[in-house]
Amino acid sequence: MQVDFSMENIRRCLCLECPVQSRSQCVADKKKIMLLITQQDLDSAMRMDTDRVPGVYCSTGRAICRDIDPHEECLCSGCEVWREHRLSEDDVSEYFCVRER
């Protein structure tokens, strides 16, 4: 099942809390951008594009941040988006940030 890249899924996604990303400077920088975007007016030109959101990799594919640590624990199986879309049945059932879907 295809996962939509949407604000709803961005909000429910656990990637931002994932230990895989916890020490990534790239992810930290993208979190700042996300915070700025969420504080903008709805008419703002700033959008939640896939290159700005460090998460929802089950939708977008592999992480663009290369300083993530795939040796840390992955939280995919505890994610509401993951469960809702039955991603455990997919060929790549976890670590979407490392393995392109």
Side-chain angles (χ1 to χ4, degrees), residues 32-51:
K32 291 176 191 172
I33 293 169
M34 286 179 64
L35 181 60
L36 285 172
I37 293 170
T38 58
Q39 293 173 345
Q40 299 294 315
D41 293 332
L42 292 176
D43 295 331
S44 170
M46 294 181 82
R47 302 276 183 246
M48 290 287 196
D49 294 323
T50 58
D51 63 334

Side-chain angles (χ1 to χ4, degrees), residues 9-27:
N9 285 337
I10 290 169
R11 286 187 188 108
R12 297 182 311 143
C13 179
L14 288 183
C15 290
L16 287 175
E17 301 169 26
C18 192
V20 173
Q21 300 195 139
S22 66
R23 291 188 297 262
S24 166
Q25 185 59 52
C26 174
V27 170

Side-chain angles (χ1 to χ4, degrees), residues 52-65:
R52 292 183 170 155
V53 177
V56 201
Y57 302 122
C58 58
S59 173
T60 64
R62 194 174 169 164
I64 58 173
C65 290

